[in-house]
Amino acid sequence: MAKKTVASLQTSSKRLTKAIKMVKSAKSGSYTFVESVMTPEAVNEWLSKK
């Protein structure tokens, strides 16, 4: 599974990170990309989930 944090986003008082991971579909076997914007502390937990 490929994973990468691609950008740091700055909003009013919160620092946010956009994370993208590649997920393999059980049905077709193809890969899709899942994107999420979250706090930097939550990135590792989100990437480790399936």
Side-chain angles (χ1 to χ4, degrees):
M1 177 191 324
K3 53 190 172 184
K4 186 173 186 177
T5 302
V6 294
S8 289
L9 308 171
Q10 187 74 31
T11 60
S12 59
S13 65
K14 285 187 167 183
R15 191 170 149 235
L16 300 174
T17 300
K18 180 178 181 181
I20 301 172
K21 69 178 172 179
M22 216 164 73
V23 179
K24 187 172 185 176
S25 171
K27 197 180 232 185
S28 65
S30 64
Y31 286 92
T32 59
F33 293 95
V34 178
E35 298 181 20
S36 183
V37 176
M38 66 199 78
T39 61
E41 295 80 26
V43 172
N44 287 333
E45 180 185 329
W46 182 75
L47 289 173
S48 65
K49 287 194 290 186
K50 279 196 170 186

